[in-house]
């Protein structure tokens, strides 16, 4: 593992490696790719996602969405000026369980849910997963990451119950344990699904 100036940079390096292992083999080359970063918070991983997208397309657009306005403001002010010219990003305060109401959504080729929060509110997250699958391009991919073992298992089951087909799973060998909750760890598990 290389040395990093801070833990965030380390986590993003690990995420990039894991996405290249898990997602890249399933991504076909396109002129343009749309990625929806759902429940994105501050969207720290935006440059990482842009890098992966640039390996599979000439241009890309990242749309981020979260219910927390303060985090969305931070994402907008940071990423509007920090991405390579072939990738644009916009962030919006909106409920993921109201994705159906969002007219301005470009059909995602990839929907990304980092540190999904299914077990915190199963009815809401079932809606988020369901509407994410509904909006996804027919050949699109849905990627989740999870902080906890149990939460990951519950999310996998929920997505399968909604008809999604799991095509990959990865237990992150370089996950970083967090101390605010037992068993919590950054991007501890990742999984990729396609539409059923
Ligand atoms: C565990 S955090 C993960 C945030 C970010 N993806 C990350 O990895 O740092 C879960 C996120 O889900 C968002 N969230 C919760 N309910 C939501 C909803 N109904 N629609 C959209 N976002 C929601 C929260 O605001 C929070 O940012």
């Amino acid at each position: 593992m290389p040395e990093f100036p801070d833990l965030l940079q380390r986590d993003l390096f690990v995420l990039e490696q894991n996405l290249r292992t898990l997602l890249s083999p399933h991504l076909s080359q396109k002129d343009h790719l749309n990625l929806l970063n759902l429940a994105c918070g501050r969207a720290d991983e935006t440059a990482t996602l842009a890098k992966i997208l640039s390996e599979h397309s000439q241009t890309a657009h990242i749309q981020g969405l979260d219910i927390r306005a303060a985090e969305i403001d931070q994402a907008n002010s940071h990423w509007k000026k920090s991405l390579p010219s072939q990738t644009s990003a916009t962030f919006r305060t909106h409920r993921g369980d109201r994705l159906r109401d969002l007219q301005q959504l470009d059909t995602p080729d990839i929907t990304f849910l980092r540190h999904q929060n299914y077990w915190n509110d199963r009815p809401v997250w079932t809606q988020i997963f369901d509407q994410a699958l509904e909006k996804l391009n027919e050949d699109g991919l849905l990627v989740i990451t999870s902080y906890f073992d149990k939460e990951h298992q519950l999310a996998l089951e929920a997505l399968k119950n909604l008809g999604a087909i799991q095509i990959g799973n990865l237990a992150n060998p370089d996950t970083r344990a967090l101390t605010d909750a037992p068993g919590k760890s950054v991007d501890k598990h990742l999984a990729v699904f396609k539409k059923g």
Side-chain angles (χ1 to χ4, degrees):
M1 177 81 62
E3 287 194 9
F4 296 98
D6 55 45
L7 293 173
L8 175 62
Q9 295 310 313
R10 180 204 181 275
D11 293 342
L12 292 175
F13 173 83
V14 171
L15 178 66
E16 184 182 324
Q17 304 307 309
N18 286 330
L19 287 176
R20 205 163 275 127
T21 303
L22 184 78
L23 174 65
S24 294
H26 301 288
L27 263 183
S28 39
Q29 209 69 25
K30 286 192 178 180
D31 290 342
H32 181 83
L33 284 170
N34 285 316
L35 182 144
L36 172 63
N37 191 352
L38 198 45
C40 63
R42 226 172 37 184
D44 289 337
E45 63 282 353
T46 302
T48 305
L49 297 173
K51 200 166 168 188
I52 298 283
L53 293 171
S54 74
E55 293 164 8
H56 297 272
S57 64
Q58 300 298 318
T59 58
H61 184 58
I62 297 173
Q63 288 181 290
L65 186 154
D66 199 283
I67 46 173
R68 296 191 196 171
E71 276 80 352
I72 289 296
D73 286 349
Q74 277 181 288
N76 268 321
S77 53
H78 185 61
W79 293 113
K80 282 228 160 120
K81 35 185 194 295
S82 326
L83 288 174
S85 58
Q86 67 269 28
T87 309
S88 55
T90 49
F91 299 90
R92 172 190 310 274
T93 307
H94 190 85
R95 295 189 66 91
D97 51 311
R98 296 277 183 279
L99 213 49
R100 271 186 204 121
D101 305 339
L102 190 59
Q103 305 302 323
Q104 305 93 326
L105 185 72
D106 300 322
T107 302
D109 299 293
I110 303 160
T111 293
F112 182 62
L113 282 145
R114 189 176 185 205
H115 300 130
Q116 55 77 27
N117 215 190
Y118 176 77
W119 74 357
N120 193 44
D121 191 336
R122 295 181 195 201
V124 164
W125 282 84
T126 300
Q127 279 301 314
I128 293 176
F129 289 163
D130 194 24
Q131 293 182 37
L133 289 166
E134 190 179 300
K135 290 283 186 182
L136 195 60
N137 210 343
E138 282 313 306
D139 63 351
L141 299 169
L142 184 144
V143 180
I144 63 166
T145 89
S146 308
Y147 277 129
F148 297 95
D149 300 335
K150 179 72 180 167
E151 185 179 40
H152 193 64
Q153 286 310 317
L154 291 172
L156 296 184
E157 281 164 30
L159 281 159
K160 286 177 198 167
N161 286 338
L162 291 166
I165 297 169
Q166 189 179 347
I167 54 173
N169 195 59
L170 183 69
N172 179 1
D174 296 309
T175 186
R176 179 172 63 84
L178 298 171
T179 51
D180 57 324
K184 185 177 180 184
S185 198
V186 177
D187 297 315
K188 192 171 192 180
H189 298 276
L190 300 91
V192 58
F193 287 83
K194 63 179 186 178
K195 279 179 137 172

